């Protein structure tokens, strides 16, 4: 019996040494998690997102972002690295163009090109003939390691996010792995970038963002919104006027992790909350040593995204206009919400289909 006890003690000691001293990729910073009001007030729980129409995307999955062309064709970025197209009625999914990476945010430029924020390759443009070319893979001499979301301005400039200059999506083993590393470390590694087609260069507008994510240009082109996922908030970066070049918080203390944001109609912006906030992660915000310990645990024991359908519409000042939820997460890990005159299209990190909801039903439930 004594040898068994000694053996168990040695195993326990080895486990403790591993948990407190084994090298990890992250160097966590202490921070203070903002208040989490939960699903109350403008975020009161409901089931308005539960009854979605599903549009299968064939052999592909993970339609991170969606764009609808002028002729009504639907485009989606897929986990397999393909841009998938569907007919305007949502049928006949076809792999249209392969980026050679992991396309995330997509948007149509004024010249008709489909612009892609590819997490592995940088900022791409895809012509009408499906030819793919790299627009930018660095900005200000710093490699773009995690291009995330993109929105095109009327003058042809392209605003996009580099989620993390430290944990590249490719080097980390994927977009999910890179995002979890960056969020666990919680240092301001992200930035908002702009690509100018006149100079064919990308430059930094705003650095020091804790996982820079969704990007949306205002209808009047006076500002651009960028989601700061690690801080549960949305920032406004002014492009014109007396505040040009300055940034401010437009909405914070969100009940979930903000992913993509898109410009809707009537001055609203659609914000997708990919997962509810994690109490364990928030409780460890000021305990960097504990976060390193958690990082040494098997991946199945670490904090991860939980299925909970949630998209909201906000105005330019951050007021919540529409709140759509599905607590059961029937269409899991929502990443984007894109409005057309007829539908609100919903994207997902993992689903094998696009989802949509008639705008008429949203307006009538208002």
């Amino acid at each position: 019996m004594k040898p068994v006890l000694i053996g168990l003690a040695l195993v326990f000691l080895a486990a403790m040494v591993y948990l407190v001293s084994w090298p990890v990729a992250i160097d966590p910073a202490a921070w203070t998690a903002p208040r989490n009001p939960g699903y109350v007030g403008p975020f009161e729980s409901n089931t308005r997102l539960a009854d979605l129409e599903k549009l299968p995307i064939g052999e592909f999955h993970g339609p991170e972002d969606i764009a609808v062309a002028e002729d009504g064709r639907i485009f989606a970025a897929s986990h397999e690295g393909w841009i998938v197209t569907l007919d305007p009625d949502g049928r006949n999914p076809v792999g249209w163009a392969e980026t050679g990476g992991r396309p995330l945010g997509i948007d149509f430029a004024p010249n008709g090109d489909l612009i892609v924020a590819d997490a592995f390759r940088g900022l791409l443009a895809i012509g009408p003939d499906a030819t793919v070319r790299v627009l930018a893979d660095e900005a200000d001499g710093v490699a773009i390691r995690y291009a995330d979301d993109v929105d095109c301005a009327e003058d042809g400039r392209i605003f996009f996010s580099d989620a993390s200059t430290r944990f590249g999506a490719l080097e980390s083993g994927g977009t999910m792995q890179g995002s979890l590393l960056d969020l666990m470390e919680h240092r301001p590694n992200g930035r908002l970038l702009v690509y100018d087609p006149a100079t064919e260069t990308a430059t930094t507008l705003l650095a020091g963002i804790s996982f820079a994510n969704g990007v949306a240009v205002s209808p009047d082109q006076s500002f651009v919104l960028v989601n700061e996922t690690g801080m549960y908030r949305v920032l406004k970066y002014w492009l014109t006027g007396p505040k040009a070049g300055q940034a401010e918080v437009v909405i914070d203390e969100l009940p979930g992790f903000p992913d993509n944001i898109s410009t809707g109609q009537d001055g609203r912006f659609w914000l997708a909350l990919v997962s509810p906030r994690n109490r364990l992660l928030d409780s460890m915000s000021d305990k960097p040593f504990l976060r390193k310990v958690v990082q040494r645990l098997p991946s199945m024991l670490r904090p991860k995204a939980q299925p909970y359908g949630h998209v909201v519409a906000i105005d330019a000042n951050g007021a919540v206009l529409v709140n759509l939820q599905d607590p059961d997460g029937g269409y899991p890990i929502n990443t984007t919400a894109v409005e057309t005159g007829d539908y609100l299209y919903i994207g997902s990190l993992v689903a094998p289909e696009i989802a949509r909801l008639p705008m008429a039903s949203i307006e009538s439930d208002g």
Side-chain angles (χ1 to χ4, degrees):
M1 188 68 179
K2 190 174 181 180
V4 173
L5 292 177
I6 294 174
L8 290 174
L10 290 174
V11 170
F12 178 77
L13 179 61
M16 291 301 99
V17 171
Y18 169 79
L19 287 175
V20 301
S21 63
W22 192 261
V24 291
I26 63 172
D27 179 22
W31 64 291
T32 301
R35 183 179 70 98
N36 181 9
Y39 295 101
V40 297
F43 302 111
E44 183 177 1
S45 182
N46 61 67
T47 58
R48 297 177 63 193
L49 204 61
D51 189 20
L52 292 170
E53 178 187 3
K54 310 288 180 61
L55 309 177
I57 56 174
E59 60 187 298
F60 309 101
H61 81 288
E64 166 83 15
D65 198 13
I66 299 159
V68 180
E70 290 185 358
D71 63 3
R73 279 196 306 156
I74 305 164
F75 291 72
S78 78
H79 181 81
E80 288 75 16
W82 282 82
I83 303 298
V84 184
T85 65
L86 297 87
D87 292 343
D89 62 4
R91 299 179 181 179
N92 300 319
V94 174
W96 172 65
E98 186 176 16
T99 69
R102 177 35 169 137
L104 296 178
I106 59 175
D107 189 43
F108 281 103
N111 68 357
D113 285 349
L114 183 70
I115 306 301
V116 180
D118 190 294
F120 294 176
R121 301 191 63 200
L123 187 69
L124 312 179
I126 306 179
D129 61 353
T131 299
V132 180
R133 67 185 189 278
V134 177
L135 296 180
D137 56 12
E138 64 88 23
D140 301 317
V142 178
I144 298 168
R145 304 181 66 191
Y146 199 138
D148 199 319
D149 196 24
V150 61
D151 199 20
C152 300
E154 293 175 357
D155 62 6
R157 287 183 298 166
I158 301 168
F159 296 88
F160 65 110
S161 56
D162 185 11
S164 176
T165 56
R166 175 161 159 74
F167 297 105
L170 181 61
E171 300 92 328
S172 300
T175 56
M176 177 63 80
Q177 294 90 328
S179 66
L180 292 176
L181 286 170
D182 195 89
L183 292 171
M184 186 64 79
E185 179 171 277
H186 209 278
R187 292 186 183 274
N189 301 316
R191 52 186 179 159
L192 173 66
L193 309 176
V194 62
Y195 175 83
D196 188 343
T199 61
E200 298 184 344
T201 57
T203 55
T204 304
L205 293 178
L206 184 64
I209 302 173
S210 179
F211 203 82
N213 210 322
V215 176
V217 181
S218 66
D220 66 0
Q221 313 292 287
S222 66
F223 62 85
V224 57
L225 299 181
V226 56
N227 291 346
E228 188 170 21
T229 302
M231 293 299 293
Y232 315 113
R233 65 187 184 183
V234 181
L235 305 177
K236 177 188 289 185
Y237 180 88
W238 288 97
L239 301 173
T240 63
K243 295 183 179 180
Q246 299 179 32
E248 60 192 46
V249 176
V250 69
I251 184 172
D252 60 0
E253 297 184 347
L254 292 167
F257 293 90
D259 199 313
N260 286 346
I261 191 168
S262 67
T263 307
Q265 300 185 7
D266 300 323
R268 60 190 166 207
F269 300 87
W270 286 97
L271 174 64
L273 300 173
V274 71
S275 174
R277 287 170 61 167
N278 185 285
R279 289 186 179 180
L280 175 61
L281 191 62
D282 280 355
S283 69
M284 295 189 298
S285 64
D286 60 347
K287 302 174 180 66
F289 174 75
L290 276 182
R291 300 214 303 282
K292 292 182 79 169
V293 171
V294 169
Q295 191 62 33
R296 296 182 181 109
L297 295 172
S299 60
M300 67 180 67
L301 299 179
R302 299 178 208 150
K304 55 181 65 66
Q306 299 298 315
Y308 189 108
H310 196 183
V311 300
V312 298
I314 62 173
D315 67 14
N317 298 312
V320 177
L321 306 175
V322 184
N323 173 38
L324 308 175
Q325 298 185 31
D326 177 13
D328 292 334
Y331 184 68
I333 319 295
N334 301 156
T335 53
T336 197
V338 176
E339 179 183 0
T340 68
D342 298 320
Y343 292 99
L344 182 69
Y345 289 88
I346 313 293
S348 165
L349 188 66
V350 297
E353 65 263 322
I354 296 169
R356 68 182 181 184
L357 195 65
M359 287 303 303
S361 69
I362 295 174
E363 301 290 358
S364 63
D365 288 345

